[in-house]
Amino acid sequence: MTLRWGVLGLGTISRAIHLPLIARLPGHELAAVADLDPERCAELAAAYGARALTPEELFAADDVDAVLVATPGRHAAHAVTALRAGKHVLAEKPFALSAEEVREAIAVARQTGLHLQVGYMKVHDRSVDVVKAALADLGETRLVQISVRHPVDAPQVEHLRMAPPAPLPASAGPLIAADDDAENRALDASVGADTSPELRRLFRSVLCGSVVHELSLLRGLGFGTPEFDHVDLLAWDGGAPPTVFATGRLTGGARFVLDWAWTPDRPDYTETVRITTTAGEVVVDVAPPYRLDATSQVTVTGPDGTHRPPAGADGAFQRQLEAFASAVTGSTPHPDSAPEGALHDLAALQRIVELVR
C-alpha cells in the first residue's frame, strides 16, 4: 500500500524534514501541499511533483489518505477538520494549548476510526531503545537530568539555504486573526485570562513550543510525566525567554531536573539527557532539529567501564513516519505518540506556570 500524503503548512519543519522524507521513503507519496502563501505552495508543489491546493481543497482531495499538519501554532483544530474529512492525521507539536482541544480531537478520531498521531518524534529515536536496554543492567534510577541550550532559528537552518518567506496575501488576514482569537481562548482556558502577557508567552512559546519535546522523551524512556515541585526563572525581564530551572519527581521515585536556556549568540542547538543509576550512568546527546538524518549518541558507564553502543542510522523522523504508516495499515500504534500524551504535557506545563505566578 502506498500512503498518499497531503502536507498542510510549508514552513521550516516541512521543508527541512517532512517533504524530502515523504518523497524518498518507499510506500509514501506526496500528493498535495497547502499553505497560506500561494507562491511558496506553487514552488514546492512543482519541486516535488505534487499538487498545490488551498487548505479546504487539501481536506477534500480524494487522492489524499493522510494529512501532515505542520501549520504555525497549535494543530488540534486542523487535525479535527482533517479527521472529519476522512483523513488520517500526523500533527506537529504543540498539538494543542488547552485540554478541551485535545479531548475533542481524541473523540473525533474515535468516532471516525482514523489514526491520529502526534509528532513526538523523539520517542521514535533509536537511542530510546538503546537506553532502555542499558538501564536494565544498571540498577535503580536515581536522577534524570535534561539540559537544553536553545539558539535563535537562523543558525539552525542555515544549511537549508531557504529564502526568507514572502509577506502573506491580504486574504490570509481573516484566517490568521481567527486563529489568534482561538489561541487566546485556549490560553485563557489553560493558564487563565488574568495571567500576565509575559507568562502567557512563556507558556505558549517556551513550554508548549520547546519543553514539550522533553516531556515526550521522558515518556518514551519509561519515566512518565514529571510532577514538578520547584521552578526558577532566571535572567528574565519579561522579554527574551528566561533560563528555566525546574525539578520534579518521576514515576518510580527518581528525581527530575530540567534546565532550559535561551542562548541567542550560540550557533547550535544542544540537548543532553543524563540518567544516573545506582550502578552507573547513561548520557544521550540528542540529535539536533532540522537535520533529516541526524542520530543521537548514547554513552553508557557501568561496572564494566564506558562504551558507546550503536543506535542505528535511521533518524527519528523516518521511524516516526514508518510507525504512522504501520498503524494506518492495522499495526498497534506507538503508545507514546497518542494524542493523550498532550493532556499529560498540558498538565505538567500548567503546573510550571502555577509555581512561578
Side-chain angles (χ1 to χ4, degrees):
M1 171 186 173
T2 296
L3 190 62
R4 300 171 299 178
W5 284 95
V7 175
L8 178 65
L10 301 176
T12 302
I13 191 66
S14 287
R15 288 179 283 173
I17 302 294
H18 298 313
L19 297 179
L21 185 56
I22 291 170
R24 82 175 192 194
L25 202 60
H28 298 259
E29 175 189 334
L30 183 63
V33 294
D35 193 88
L36 292 180
D37 182 344
E39 292 184 9
R40 178 189 297 177
C41 191
E43 176 186 347
L44 289 170
Y48 284 95
R51 293 192 295 148
L53 303 177
T54 66
E56 294 76 15
E57 290 170 339
L58 182 68
F59 293 133
D62 291 335
D63 62 342
V64 170
D65 304 310
V67 173
L68 198 156
V69 180
T71 49
R74 65 202 217 295
H75 302 97
H78 286 138
V80 166
T81 302
L83 289 165
R84 286 178 171 155
K87 318 299 184 189
H88 302 283
V89 175
L90 173 58
E92 271 292 352
K93 307 160 301 295
F95 183 63
L97 297 179
S98 73
E100 181 182 2
E101 295 174 298
V102 181
R103 293 190 182 103
E104 180 188 13
I106 292 171
V108 173
R110 289 173 179 168
Q111 290 164 5
T112 59
L114 295 164
H115 182 49
L116 171 59
Q117 179 174 315
V118 180
Y120 294 124
M121 78 287 187
K122 290 182 181 179
V123 306
H124 300 276
D125 195 305
R126 282 199 180 275
S127 66
V128 169
D129 296 331
V130 174
V131 170
K132 286 181 173 180
L135 290 176
D137 298 323
L138 291 179
E140 298 181 11
T141 298
R142 295 291 193 232
L143 178 66
V144 179
Q145 301 163 275
I146 299 184
S147 298
V148 175
R149 304 295 175 260
H150 201 302
V152 296
D153 286 343
Q156 298 185 75
V157 300
E158 186 177 10
H159 66 286
L160 299 172
R161 295 181 172 83
M162 296 186 300
L168 291 174
S171 60
L175 295 172
I176 295 172
D179 193 64
D180 287 344
D181 288 343
E183 181 170 297
N184 281 322
R185 291 193 299 272
L187 287 171
D188 289 347
S190 285
V191 297
D194 58 344
T195 299
S196 70
E198 293 80 11
L199 272 180
R200 286 166 70 93
R201 188 164 58 248
L202 176 80
F203 179 80
R204 167 65 187 86
S205 298
V206 173
L207 302 183
C208 291
S210 181
V211 174
V212 68
H213 291 84
E214 284 62 67
L215 298 183
S216 67
L217 181 55
L218 284 173
R219 287 197 298 275
L221 290 169
F223 295 119
T225 302
E227 295 182 9
F228 287 108
D229 50 32
H230 176 80
V231 179
D232 280 331
L233 301 180
L234 309 173
W236 193 36
D237 59 6
T243 295
V244 179
F245 180 85
T247 64
R249 193 168 297 278
L250 297 169
T251 302
R255 292 293 291 178
F256 173 59
V257 176
L258 168 73
D259 55 277
W260 185 103
W262 175 246
T263 52
D265 299 324
R266 186 187 183 103
D268 56 347
Y269 172 100
T270 62
E271 179 178 348
T272 304
V273 180
R274 184 179 299 273
I275 304 169
T276 302
T277 73
T278 54
E281 182 177 76
V282 179
V283 177
V284 185
D285 295 311
V286 180
Y290 306 124
R291 298 276 182 174
L292 178 54
D293 294 313
T295 56
S296 301
Q297 302 298 317
V298 181
T299 303
V300 179
T301 300
D304 298 329
T306 298
H307 66 289
R308 301 187 71 178
D314 47 343
F317 284 103
Q318 177 176 323
R319 285 168 56 83
Q320 172 181 260
L321 210 61
E322 290 169 342
F324 181 91
S326 294
V328 166
T329 56
S331 297
T332 301
H334 193 292
D336 297 309
S337 287
E340 285 80 1
L343 293 173
H344 297 294
D345 295 338
L346 286 167
L349 300 177
Q350 287 166 331
R351 176 62 176 160
I352 289 178
V353 173
E354 290 173 5
L355 289 167
V356 298
R357 282 187 197 276

